[in-house]
Amino acid sequence: MSEHSSEPEVQKGSSNNNLIFAVVVLILVAGVAAFILLKPEDKPVQVVEDIVSEQAPVVEYQEPDPEPEVSEPEPEPVVVDTAPERTPEPVPEVEPLPTLNESDEVVVARMDELLSDQVMSLMVTDDLIRRGVVYVDNIAKGKVAVSHAPVERPKESFKVIEGDILTIDPNSYERYTPYVKLFTSLSAAQVIRMYDEYKPLISEAYAEIGYEGDAFTGTLEEAIDVLLDTPEPKGDMPLVRNSVTYQYAYSEWENLPDAQKQLLRMGPENMKKVKAALRNIKAELEK
């Protein structure tokens, strides 16, 4: 079975003012409604009975009742917001991104803030963004770009147990544990924040290898799906020796894409942790 150098790595006060305005409007509407509903009615007409006498009627002239004075409605009080103006909080300055060629120092420093020294010692820190973009693009195709791996090759050698059948020595799985710790050191939210932060540089690197830069998010999701589709064996997987390398004895395993075979070689426990982290990242990407 051919050996690859690394694990697959996937690197993505106006409300108060509105309330005051609403209260003012309600006060004005209530005032107008009260004025209309409580408007005084016209004064009733007085009925005077005729007095009949033997004498000629004397009609006394009466001054007409004065028209009732209609008082102008008092203007509604205008509510003035006397609250002191709030000084807007200063918007934090965002440092401009470096150029792609000069991005290593900035990106590595950012990762160094989040990861331990032991984990950082596993990283390949030259041309990091370009390296990661090419690696992810190959994973999406089911391949492993060994020369573009973003992490160092495990120093421990691959071991098998020889008996009636050849099987992988479980101790061989342990050499991938530090890489799994690296991959699971960051939460999915942290991974996506970093992805969003450096997305312009990632898109530029993706465009350099002949793609539409904005399409990388789709490629990242495809790479995650490839790894999530890796079958999980229920027991040992027999091997056969092929010259100086080993292959899976069963074609159902040997014919898997290289990216999935790489994940298999990490062992069942490591694979579960990687898959769990990938599912969380995918969920964040889809938000």
Side-chain angles (χ1 to χ4, degrees):
M1 178 176 68
S2 58
E3 179 174 353
H4 302 297
S5 65
S6 65
E7 63 162 326
E9 177 73 12
V10 181
Q11 316 272 117
K12 173 180 177 320
S14 61
S15 59
N16 289 335
N17 291 337
N18 290 339
L19 178 60
I20 292 170
F21 177 76
V23 171
V24 171
V25 170
L26 288 175
I27 291 173
L28 292 176
V29 170
V32 172
F35 174 70
I36 293 173
L37 295 176
L38 301 178
K39 183 176 68 172
E41 297 292 337
D42 293 336
K43 186 174 181 179
V45 178
Q46 183 177 3
V47 178
V48 180
E49 294 183 356
D50 292 336
I51 300 176
V52 180
S53 66
E54 296 178 354
Q55 299 179 353
V58 178
V59 178
E60 295 182 359
Y61 176 78
Q62 294 181 349
E63 291 289 334
D65 291 339
E67 291 290 332
E69 293 182 4
V70 179
S71 59
E72 294 291 332
E74 295 183 3
E76 295 294 329
V78 178
V79 179
V80 180
D81 184 9
T82 58
E85 294 185 2
R86 296 183 178 181
T87 304
E89 296 182 1
V91 179
E93 294 184 3
V94 178
E95 294 186 5
L97 289 175
T99 64
L100 183 58
N101 289 334
E102 298 173 345
S103 61
D104 282 342
E105 183 178 353
V106 174
V107 176
V108 171
R110 180 79 174 88
M111 295 182 67
D112 195 40
E113 295 174 359
L114 303 173
L115 301 175
S116 67
D117 292 341
Q118 181 181 8
V119 170
M120 283 300 297
S121 67
L122 302 174
M123 298 293 300
V124 177
T125 55
D126 66 288
D127 225 2
L128 190 56
I129 289 181
R130 287 189 178 99
R131 184 181 292 275
V133 164
V134 172
Y135 197 80
V136 170
D137 182 58
N138 276 268
I139 292 291
K141 298 180 176 71
K143 302 177 182 178
V144 178
V146 176
S147 61
H148 289 83
V151 290
E152 298 284 356
R153 181 188 180 95
K155 294 180 172 58
E156 297 84 358
S157 59
F158 176 74
K159 297 177 181 179
V160 299
I161 297 176
E162 298 196 19
D164 294 336
I165 57 173
L166 293 175
T167 57
I168 300 175
D169 186 342
N171 290 326
S172 287
Y173 300 147
E174 296 301 319
R175 61 193 187 135
Y176 290 107
T177 299
Y179 299 90
V180 175
K181 287 182 178 178
L182 183 157
F183 188 59
T184 57
S185 292
L186 300 177
S187 68
Q190 287 175 315
V191 171
I192 297 304
R193 277 199 297 271
M194 285 193 67
Y195 176 64
D196 288 339
E197 184 177 354
Y198 298 112
K199 193 172 182 179
L201 300 182
I202 293 171
S203 296
E204 182 181 344
Y206 199 48
E208 284 183 353
I209 57 176
Y211 297 95
E212 294 291 333
D214 293 342
F216 184 77
T217 298
T219 301
L220 178 57
E221 291 176 339
E222 290 175 11
I224 292 174
D225 286 338
V226 167
L227 297 177
L228 290 179
D229 288 342
T230 304
E232 299 181 21
K234 302 301 181 183
D236 292 334
M237 293 178 292
L239 306 174
V240 294
R241 195 187 305 272
N242 181 14
S243 183
V244 294
T245 62
Y246 297 92
Q247 293 181 342
Y248 292 111
Y250 299 142
S251 59
E252 61 183 294
W253 304 111
E254 185 59 32
N255 292 336
L256 289 174
D258 287 344
Q260 293 184 348
K261 286 195 289 187
Q262 175 67 69
L263 188 55
L264 278 174
R265 296 182 64 204
M266 293 183 180
E269 293 304 315
N270 283 332
M271 180 164 58
K272 288 178 183 177
K273 293 175 182 177
V274 170
K275 281 190 171 186
L278 289 173
R279 289 189 188 98
N280 291 335
I281 292 173
K282 184 178 180 181
E284 288 290 331
L285 279 172
E286 292 175 347
K287 284 184 178 179

